[in-house]
């Protein structure tokens, strides 16, 4: 409806951040570059901000910058209640078996996957 009326190429106001519409402003792009650099150096970046400030968008852009060199898993569900649920989510995102195992087996499976690199 909006696309035709306003002559838009895609649907506006998506609930998922659109990396194709990203415009690199100073601070946001500095944060994206710092996150990518931190990961490349073996660290874990921490990005904090109020809802709607672009954290997920920056993480998706960072993932896009790293996918040629790394296997990247971006878990969008921040409400995983147990370590087992977290390991299951990561293994699922990697396309690996994730059900029928206890937490220790899932952890070892993920370690084995990481050590194969």
């Amino acid at each position: 409806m909006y696309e035709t009326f306003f002559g838009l190429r895609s649907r506006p106001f998506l609930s998922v951040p659109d990396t194709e519409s990203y415009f690199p402003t100073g601070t946001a792009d500095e944060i994206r570059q710092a996150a990518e650099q931190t990961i490349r150096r073996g660290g874990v970046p921490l990005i904090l901000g109020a809802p709607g400030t672009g954290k997920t968008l920056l993480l998706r852009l960072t993932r896009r910058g790293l996918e040629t060199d790394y296997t990247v898993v971006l878990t969008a569900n921040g409400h995983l209640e147990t370590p087992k649920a977290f390991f299951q989510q990561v293994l699922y995102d990697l396309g690996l078996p994730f059900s029928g195992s206890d937490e220790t087996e899932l952890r070892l499976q993920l370690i084995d996957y990481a050590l194969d690199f």
Side-chain angles (χ1 to χ4, degrees), residues 10-107:
S10 63
R11 193 168 165 233
F13 313 117
L14 298 173
S15 60
V16 177
D18 180 14
T19 57
E20 298 304 316
S21 298
Y22 173 70
F23 181 80
T25 62
T27 303
D29 208 49
E30 287 174 19
I31 293 169
R32 183 197 56 77
Q33 289 175 16
E36 187 173 326
Q37 186 177 50
T38 299
I39 292 167
R40 289 187 183 280
R41 291 181 176 171
V44 178
L46 177 63
I47 299 175
L48 301 171
T53 57
K55 298 177 302 294
T56 302
L57 175 61
L58 289 177
L59 289 173
R60 288 174 184 263
L61 289 164
T62 302
R63 175 182 63 182
R64 190 168 68 183
L66 295 169
E67 284 181 321
T68 56
D69 300 321
Y70 299 93
T71 301
V72 179
V73 174
L74 180 60
T75 302
N77 183 354
H79 301 288
L80 299 171
E81 296 184 15
T82 64
K84 180 178 179 179
F86 171 75
F87 290 124
Q88 287 176 320
Q89 179 70 52
V90 171
L91 291 168
Y92 172 81
D93 289 345
L94 292 170
L96 299 171
F98 62 91
S99 62
S101 300
D102 65 23
E103 180 186 333
T104 301
E105 292 169 328
L106 294 169
R107 182 188 316 261

